Amino acid sequence: MRSRSCARSTRSIAKLARVHAFLSALQVFIAIILIALILMHSGKDAGLSGAFGVGGGSQLGSGSLVERNLNRWTVFFAIIFIANIFLLLKT
């Protein structure tokens, strides 16, 4: 009887380790995307986003839609990043 419970606990530990490994890899992937999104934002001197046409200062607001979508994606990935941290802490 004791060996069955030991086998079950070993399987559940192995399953938990796989979930933790997946969430850790996902965290790294989300962090890389979040860093790239943050670097694409335009600052006072239109940093990296000027290279991708996000700034658009002289083109009558052509970059405003792109900038707004960039803000949305950054917030979305930041929320996923934080949610994944909580999931990693629970496992």
Side-chain angles (χ1 to χ4, degrees):
M1 190 59 110
R2 186 173 178 101
S3 65
R4 285 186 182 175
S5 66
C6 183
R8 284 183 187 158
S9 70
T10 304
R11 280 187 294 212
S12 65
I13 290 172
K15 186 176 181 180
L16 191 62
R18 285 192 303 252
V19 169
H20 189 76
F22 173 75
L23 289 175
S24 296
L26 184 65
Q27 186 73 7
V28 171
F29 182 70
I30 293 170
I32 291 170
I33 291 174
L34 193 57
I35 289 169
L37 286 171
I38 289 170
L39 286 176
M40 287 174 61
H41 279 275
S42 61
K44 289 183 178 179
D45 53 353
L48 280 177
S49 64
F52 299 108
V54 177
S58 64
Q59 296 178 349
L60 295 176
S62 64
S64 64
L65 178 65
V66 176
E67 188 73 30
R68 192 167 54 235
N69 285 334
L70 184 61
N71 287 338
R72 289 177 183 160
W73 280 106
T74 304
V75 169
F76 174 73
F77 275 100
I79 290 171
I80 290 177
F81 184 83
I82 293 170
N84 199 25
I85 288 173
F86 286 125
L87 286 174
L88 277 169
L89 289 174
K90 288 197 77 128
T91 58

